Amino acid sequence: MKKFHKTLSATLGLGMALTGSSAFAVDSDLEQLQEQVRQLIAQNQQLSKRVAAMEQERPAQPEPIRAGGISSSPVPEELLRTKVQQQVLKEIRRQQEAEGKSQQINDYVTLFGLIEAEAVVGDDFAGDAASEFNVATVELGFDAQLSDWVVGHILAKYEGGEEDQHLFIDEANIWLGNYQKFPVLLTAGKFYLPFGQFDTNMVQDPLTLEVGEINAPGLAIGVEQHGFTGALYSYKGMNETDGNDTIKGFGAMLSYHHEIDETRVDAGASWVSNLADSGGISDAFDGAGLDSIIDQVPGFGVYLTAGYGPFSLISEYIQAIDPFAPSELDFKGEGAQPKAWNAELAYATALLGKETIFAVGYQGTAEALALELPYARYMGAVSMVLFEGTSLTLEYFHDSDYDEDEGGSGEDADVFTAQLAYEF
């Protein structure tokens, strides 16, 4: 979910492996150095015993007097240490200091990540069958918090199936504030705007996300008090065809969360000045060779999630308030006014001693043919937590295309997905 104070909330396995390897090497060297120190001290003690034995065997003689009147005595152990011993001790102290600095970093940096591997089989609206294995998502990120009032957040991401298959910076922002001490939070950088909620129990992203999710550099200010959360934000969006290259994107969000005993409710509404800035619509613009919009098209969204005991409900609706120009998004020869909705019902239980969620859902769109989205989608999924941070999800969905008189094929498609996810 893209809550305002989340990311308004990996691979690390390699980093952890490298760290573990380094730690093993340091521990091995430290053990060797300590063993050398123990051997040298033992040799020193044996030498001291031999000197003492020789002193007892020879006739008693007057003890020589050194300058200052200090009589001779067995040489202190500290003075018998060789340069090698001193170097060994220096190395041990250096490694201890390095371990201390590493521990200090762990005190204020939190690492996290996600890996999603999928197997997919199905057919499309043309009846063509296909199957594949892919790494659907890889996320690597960290939060750095040096004080109670500032958090630095960075998230790098890889998404399989994209044309540019490489890691990119998905989020990079600074949170200034502390909701536990003061109700206002400022976020600056690149983040998911607080427009829409997009919760789901499924593997596939909901159709509402395809229409409404916006990720852009910007500035947001949020207020949280007595279960209510409100946010105002501004961001650099798409330029107007006859306008200047200025910041014109802005929006607002208001939500309410309430939880008592086994009952929980989360509801909200949001508005954005230009829905064309969403990922799904901007991709359609790019495909049509458009890099600007004639007139901004505002977007509106509402959502309600509720739960009682093991049951939960997700519902959301997103739409463009005005139609686009026919040359930008077309539907039946006129400007399209895309809409999308999602409804899911889920039940959580323990199956074979593992936390398991059964979910069914219905999603749909209107006037979204140009976005290559289905007219209707029926879904079912079961997800089981195999181990801590590890889950297996089996999902099936059936899509129906727009009718032929609307420009679609009128055909159906079926897809089955198995996903293994590891989050840490």
Side-chain angles (χ1 to χ4, degrees):
M1 59 182 67
K2 303 296 187 299
K3 291 186 176 178
F4 171 73
H5 52 279
K6 176 207 172 200
T7 53
L8 252 215
S9 68
T11 282
L12 290 180
L14 177 60
M16 293 173 65
L18 292 174
T19 302
S21 176
S22 175
F24 177 80
V26 170
D27 291 343
S28 177
D29 292 343
L30 181 59
E31 291 177 0
Q32 294 178 4
L33 294 172
Q34 290 175 335
E35 180 60 27
Q36 293 180 27
V37 171
R38 285 193 291 268
Q39 292 177 359
L40 290 171
I41 292 176
Q43 294 173 5
N44 182 27
Q45 292 174 344
Q46 292 176 1
L47 179 60
S48 298
K49 290 180 180 179
R50 290 180 60 187
V51 171
M54 292 173 64
E55 290 290 341
Q56 293 178 356
E57 292 175 357
R58 70 181 181 178
Q61 297 179 359
E63 292 189 3
I65 303 299
R66 295 182 179 273
I70 302 177
S71 63
S72 65
S73 60
V75 180
E77 183 179 296
E78 292 291 334
L79 298 180
L80 288 176
R81 286 179 178 156
T82 65
K83 291 183 178 180
V84 174
Q85 289 175 288
Q86 295 173 8
Q87 185 63 33
V88 167
L89 294 176
K90 286 181 181 180
E91 182 64 21
I92 292 174
R93 285 195 293 269
R94 187 191 65 79
Q95 294 178 6
Q96 290 174 340
E97 291 174 358
E99 290 177 353
K101 291 180 180 178
S102 176
Q103 184 61 43
Q104 291 176 7
I105 293 176
N106 292 335
D107 290 340
Y108 64 82
V109 174
T110 301
L111 300 174
F112 57 90
L114 170 68
I115 304 172
E116 293 177 342
E118 295 179 357
V120 183
V121 59
D123 57 13
D124 57 20
F125 291 138
D128 296 329
S131 59
E132 63 177 353
F133 292 105
N134 64 74
V135 178
T137 306
V138 176
E139 293 182 351
L140 308 168
F142 69 85
D143 291 337
Q145 185 171 8
L146 294 174
S147 74
D148 293 338
W149 291 90
V150 183
V151 176
H153 170 79
I154 296 177
L155 177 65
K157 191 173 185 179
Y158 163 90
E159 291 184 332
E162 298 296 325
E163 293 183 2
D164 298 325
Q165 295 194 14
H166 58 265
L167 278 173
F168 59 94
I169 300 300
D170 192 44
E171 302 172 24
N173 51 72
I174 301 170
W175 306 337
L176 182 60
N178 187 331
Y179 273 144
Q180 296 181 348
K181 299 181 180 180
F182 190 69
V184 179
L185 178 68
L186 180 70
T187 301
K190 184 183 180 186
F191 54 93
Y192 287 92
L193 304 182
F195 177 76
Q197 186 74 354
F198 314 126
D199 283 346
T200 186
N201 293 293
M202 308 298 176
V203 172
Q204 306 300 317
D205 290 332
L207 298 179
T208 50
L209 181 147
E210 300 291 349
V211 172
E213 185 182 62
I214 302 175
N215 181 313
L219 179 69
I221 184 169
V223 179
E224 184 178 276
Q225 195 75 15
H226 305 299
F228 288 93
T229 301
L232 297 173
Y233 56 91
S234 178
Y235 65 98
K236 183 65 172 71
M238 186 179 299
N239 293 325
E240 293 180 339
T241 303
D242 298 329
N244 298 321
D245 186 12
T246 59
I247 296 175
K248 292 186 177 180
F250 54 92
M253 177 274 291
L254 179 64
S255 67
Y256 175 71
H257 176 79
H258 178 73
E259 187 169 346
I260 182 171
D261 297 331
E262 293 188 275
T263 304
R264 53 201 179 277
V265 176
D266 193 0
S270 52
W271 175 88
V272 68
S273 62
N274 189 16
L275 194 62
D277 292 321
S278 72
I281 298 180
S282 62
D283 285 347
F285 270 55
D286 292 341
L290 303 175
D291 59 3
S292 61
I293 188 169
I294 297 174
D295 291 308
Q296 290 196 345
V297 177
F300 174 75
V302 292
Y303 72 90
L304 170 66
T305 62
Y308 180 77
F311 295 95
S312 62
L313 170 70
I314 295 174
S315 60
E316 186 166 23
Y317 178 82
I318 299 287
Q319 79 157 64
I321 295 176
D322 299 321
F324 287 84
S327 59
E328 297 168 340
L329 288 181
D330 174 79
F331 184 73
K332 299 175 64 174
E334 298 181 355
Q337 189 175 352
K339 308 172 183 65
W341 53 87
N342 178 35
E344 296 181 20
L345 181 64
Y347 175 73
T349 186
L351 184 64
L352 302 177
K354 305 291 185 179
E355 180 183 348
T356 306
I357 297 178
F358 296 90
V360 294
Y362 167 70
Q363 302 178 17
T365 67
E367 301 187 30
L369 181 64
L371 306 180
E372 300 182 353
L373 298 178
Y375 174 74
R377 173 172 289 175
Y378 305 88
M379 315 182 71
V382 55
S383 180
M384 175 181 288
V385 177
L386 302 179
F387 308 99
E388 183 177 359
T390 306
S391 63
L392 174 65
T393 303
L394 305 178
E395 176 196 79
Y396 164 79
F397 70 83
H398 173 85
D399 279 356
S400 296
D401 196 10
Y402 284 82
D403 292 335
E404 292 184 16
D405 61 356
E406 295 176 318
S409 65
E411 300 295 333
D412 298 327
D414 299 278
V415 177
F416 175 80
T417 304
Q419 181 194 81
L420 183 63
Y422 182 56
E423 186 172 7
F424 51 93

